[in-house]
Amino acid sequence: MIENPFSDFITEIVNKYGEENWVTVYETIPNNGGDSDGATYCALVSLDRAKEIFDKGHCWDLSIGSIYPGFLSVCKNGIETPKYYANTDKEGYLRLILKREFHSRKESYIEILEEFRLFHNLYYDQDTSNHVTFDDTGDEVEVIKMTQQKIQIKFSYLKSFMAAKQMHLLLFFERNRHFKNEMYFSADESNSTLIYTIYSNFFSYSNGYKSHSRIMGKKLILCGKVEESKVWPFEEKKKFIEYIIGGNDDAPKMFTSNPELLSNDFGANPEAPHYLTPVFFKKEVMQKYYRSPSEYEVCDSSLSRRGGWNLRFDNNLVDCVSVFLGDLGRGLPENEQKYWATFNIIPDGRQISETNIQRNLMGNFFVPESPEHKFKNEFRKLQNQWLKRYGWSLFLPLCEKDAHYFLSLRSMITNEQAEFDEQILALTKITIDSVNVVELRELLKINNKEAKSIFLIEKLLEVKNVTNVEHHIKLLKTIQGLRSTGVAHRKGNNYDNVLIKSSINQKNYQAEFDQFLHNLVNLFEEILLLCTPN
């Protein structure tokens, strides 16, 4: 008995084709003188047309190509009249893949159905030729993998579109295999979702082969109910995590962060904890966000994923961060909620910051308490006022590749040497390295081109009769010294000498760095006075 030359392919078609994580919706396999070739194509088909597609046999209902709007002749009362149609393809069919042809005048290329791209708001990545979207956490999700020979679509997104359109997916397939001996095999198969035929010829169009066999057919992948589209108003219900809101290590008290199950000032769920119940977390929860400033934005009292979610929170506390229970559920997607839960700690007498109380509970304007937010606020204020007063920036704006230093500058989360080095470098880049020495020399009428940033700041303070100049300059020299002896180069005696000379407590880098930020704020305030017109 002759063995079926497509037994492996049939197994794949029956068990996997169209139902794997990535569905191949278009593929051309050229022969190139080899032993196999073939093609794959697809279309969406309306529910009523699906009943008759297998009546026509194994042949493809559509050929690989494109559709063109235009006119068709419509006969009415014996009179033929041209009528314009946006889709002159077969009624009840919708192509996902369009191959654009220009009759050899231009190279052909492939397009994805615009409606599918807009439905999932897909972004076309020109570097990879793939299409991506973003999930509810803001993570990039690849939806379409695309080359000139093969296109695959992530099945979950394809199913969603099929359900919304209430159209089934019809997959067309053809494979040819060539043999160096005489091979003849034939077979047919047909059921409610699959049909194919196999036939053979005692010749081959591939050089060096005597015969070839072909399998051609189509498979129907049924769409789900419209509710399975998982888009509004059929989104999946958001899941909510429980957090510790009281108790002790042996018996922590936990409650859901689902805002709809919390009490509020309008009488909802009177027996439940209040929406504004504070939940506390280790400060280390923030490391993830500071490490990726291009993805996340950490501001005074808010944290956001660019293009994703936004969370109100209290980051004006010294040793932890706090979030209102209801805000955790409202602001964070499920995966992000789980991440925060790993840093959840028992309140143990902790209180929210005065900044949080005044702003969110009392409705008052209140300056931040956190050194990092004070520093950033005063720095921006100084930059704006100086530019307005003199027409140029006192500190040159960071270039795009250095912008992350300002975004990730913070009160230290740990007491590690690595983090201290990292923050000293950021602080130096933002301030000392960015002093606008060219404009400052001209303002102070200093012709010496060797005059550097700290010297120029010192002269500026002296000329303007600023008090405690020595204190401010010592601060800048200490920061510069830490950078030059311990961050930019190998650490040694020079670094230790800077630590000793500046009386820096190596066991509490966190407090020392906060003090640097406080002292720089004082310096900015002094310089701000110089922006006031005489």
Side-chain angles (χ1 to χ4, degrees):
M1 182 176 180
I2 300 175
E3 183 179 353
N4 186 337
F6 293 102
S7 58
D8 57 332
F9 182 68
I10 292 171
T11 298
E12 181 181 340
I13 289 292
V14 171
N15 298 325
K16 296 181 180 180
Y17 190 43
E19 300 178 36
E20 58 269 62
N21 188 37
W22 288 94
V23 179
T24 300
V25 293
Y26 170 87
E27 185 174 19
T28 55
I29 307 171
N31 179 264
N32 295 330
D35 62 359
S36 63
D37 55 83
T40 300
Y41 197 51
C42 76
L44 295 184
V45 59
S46 62
L47 303 186
D48 56 334
R49 292 300 298 269
K51 299 174 183 178
E52 59 188 56
I53 57 175
F54 291 152
D55 295 342
K56 301 176 181 179
H58 63 274
C59 293
W60 291 14
D61 299 74
L62 301 173
S63 60
I64 295 177
S66 191
I67 56 174
Y68 301 94
F71 291 91
L72 292 177
S73 181
V74 178
C75 184
K76 187 175 182 179
N77 299 325
I79 301 175
E80 290 191 353
T81 305
K83 183 177 179 180
Y84 180 83
Y85 287 89
N87 179 0
T88 56
D89 222 329
K90 290 188 177 181
E91 184 179 355
Y93 289 84
L94 182 64
R95 295 174 185 264
L96 277 173
I97 311 300
L98 309 176
K99 186 170 184 181
R100 306 294 310 283
E101 299 279 359
F102 301 95
H103 311 293
S104 301
R105 298 297 300 273
K106 296 288 185 181
E107 287 189 19
S108 62
Y109 63 87
I110 299 171
E111 289 182 0
I112 308 298
L113 177 69
E114 181 183 52
E115 185 179 356
F116 181 79
R117 291 184 285 114
L118 295 179
F119 181 79
H120 289 300
N121 193 28
L122 300 183
Y123 170 79
Y124 177 64
D125 187 333
Q126 294 186 358
D127 294 332
T128 64
S129 295
N130 296 331
H131 294 74
V132 300
T133 189
F134 300 90
D135 62 18
D136 59 356
T137 66
D139 287 334
E140 185 175 298
V141 179
E142 196 172 46
V143 177
I144 303 175
K145 298 177 180 179
M146 186 172 174
T147 67
Q148 280 296 106
Q149 286 74 42
K150 187 174 184 178
I151 298 174
Q152 293 178 297
I153 299 179
K154 203 162 194 174
F155 192 30
S156 57
Y157 287 84
L158 191 51
K159 285 195 299 183
S160 171
F161 186 64
M162 291 162 56
K165 293 284 292 182
Q166 283 298 282
M167 298 182 79
H168 301 313
L169 175 66
L170 186 58
L171 293 166
F172 308 113
F173 56 87
E174 175 192 347
R175 293 293 185 275
N176 297 286
R177 288 181 174 173
H178 304 265
F179 307 94
K180 294 192 175 181
N181 59 320
E182 292 186 349
M183 160 67 76
Y184 188 86
F185 184 89
S186 65
D188 294 283
E189 178 65 38
S190 179
N191 57 47
S192 61
T193 59
L194 176 67
I195 186 171
Y196 66 82
T197 188
I198 301 174
Y199 60 93
S200 302
N201 289 297
F202 291 121
F203 70 87
S204 171
Y205 52 83
S206 185
N207 292 334
Y209 294 88
K210 289 186 176 181
S211 63
H212 87 278
S213 295
R214 171 177 294 167
I215 181 171
M216 176 179 281
K218 47 197 176 185
K219 182 177 182 180
L220 189 67
I221 308 297
L222 303 180
C223 71
K225 297 178 180 179
V226 67
E227 292 82 2
E228 296 177 35
S229 61
K230 298 181 181 180
V231 297
W232 187 90
F234 307 112
E235 302 104 322
E236 289 184 316
K237 286 189 176 181
K238 184 177 179 178
K239 296 179 181 178
F240 299 92
I241 305 300
E242 291 188 342
Y243 292 95
I244 301 169
I245 60 173
N248 54 49
D249 290 332
D250 295 325
K253 180 182 178 182
M254 306 187 72
F255 204 84
T256 180
S257 58
N258 186 346
E260 296 182 2
L261 301 181
L262 300 175
S263 67
N264 57 34
D265 295 336
F266 305 100
N269 309 305
E271 302 300 320
H274 198 280
Y275 182 104
L276 298 179
T277 300
V279 184
F280 295 90
F281 302 87
K282 295 177 183 177
K283 207 168 184 180
E284 285 82 352
V285 71
M286 298 303 299
Q287 287 180 319
K288 167 184 175 179
Y289 308 114
Y290 280 116
R291 286 172 179 168
S292 302
S294 62
E295 292 288 333
Y296 303 97
E297 184 175 11
V298 182
C299 298
D300 178 12
S301 301
S302 73
L303 167 66
S304 61
R305 176 74 187 269
R306 301 179 192 278
W309 45 266
N310 184 75
L311 177 70
R312 294 188 309 168
F313 77 132
D314 185 358
N315 58 346
N316 277 280
L317 296 165
V318 175
D319 60 348
C320 63
V321 295
S322 174
V323 190
F324 291 134
L325 182 59
D327 282 340
L328 284 164
R330 188 178 300 281
L332 295 177
E334 182 184 357
N335 286 342
E336 211 67 27
Q337 288 182 45
K338 291 178 180 178
Y339 168 75
W340 277 74
T342 62
F343 296 90
N344 193 190
I345 54 179
I346 294 171
D348 196 23
R350 294 179 174 87
Q351 300 292 325
I352 62 177
S353 70
E354 185 65 22
T355 301
N356 200 16
I357 292 173
Q358 291 295 326
R359 291 176 178 173
N360 294 309
L361 302 184
M362 306 301 292
N364 297 326
F365 172 80
F366 200 80
V367 296
E369 299 169 79
S370 168
E372 71 178 83
H373 302 314
K374 284 184 177 179
F375 173 88
K376 290 182 178 180
N377 283 355
E378 288 300 314
F379 182 84
R380 293 189 184 101
K381 184 178 178 181
L382 172 58
Q383 286 285 79
N384 292 334
Q385 292 295 334
W386 189 278
L387 179 62
K388 185 177 179 180
R389 173 71 172 85
Y390 295 102
W392 46 274
S393 298
L394 178 60
F395 298 99
L396 295 170
L398 295 171
C399 68
E400 182 180 351
K401 293 182 179 179
D402 277 342
H404 64 90
Y405 285 110
F406 187 82
L407 297 174
S408 61
L409 181 73
R410 61 186 181 272
S411 291
M412 289 175 57
I413 296 172
T414 69
N415 201 49
E416 296 292 333
Q417 179 74 55
E419 187 177 4
F420 184 64
D421 290 349
E422 177 185 282
Q423 292 306 302
I424 287 293
L425 176 60
L427 198 56
T428 310
K429 285 264 190 182
I430 296 165
T431 57
I432 298 168
D433 289 356
S434 295
V435 170
N436 193 337
V437 294
V438 174
E439 295 288 356
L440 205 47
R441 286 179 194 139
E442 185 174 341
L443 176 68
L444 298 171
K445 298 186 176 8
I446 296 176
N447 296 323
N448 182 6
K449 292 186 178 181
E450 298 301 316
K452 302 299 183 182
S453 55
I454 295 179
F455 173 82
L456 292 170
I457 293 293
E458 181 178 10
K459 292 304 175 186
L460 175 67
L461 298 178
E462 289 176 349
V463 167
K464 299 298 182 178
N465 297 317
V466 172
T467 59
N468 210 4
V469 173
E470 184 178 345
H471 170 76
H472 295 310
I473 299 307
K474 180 181 179 182
L475 166 67
L476 296 178
K477 287 182 176 180
T478 297
I479 295 172
Q480 177 65 28
L482 291 170
R483 186 267 180 95
S484 60
T485 62
V487 179
H489 301 92
R490 289 171 57 90
K491 292 179 176 63
N493 292 334
N494 290 338
Y495 183 75
D496 293 334
N497 289 337
V498 174
L499 294 175
I500 294 170
K501 186 177 180 180
S502 304
S503 301
I504 293 175
N505 181 3
Q506 299 178 58
K507 294 182 179 180
N508 197 353
Y509 278 142
Q510 291 169 292
E512 295 290 352
F513 190 76
D514 276 351
Q515 192 59 52
F516 285 151
L517 295 176
H518 277 301
N519 291 339
L520 281 167
V521 167
N522 293 334
L523 173 59
F524 296 159
E525 289 173 345
E526 293 275 17
I527 299 176
L528 265 170
L529 297 175
L530 309 181
C531 300
T532 304
N534 296 327

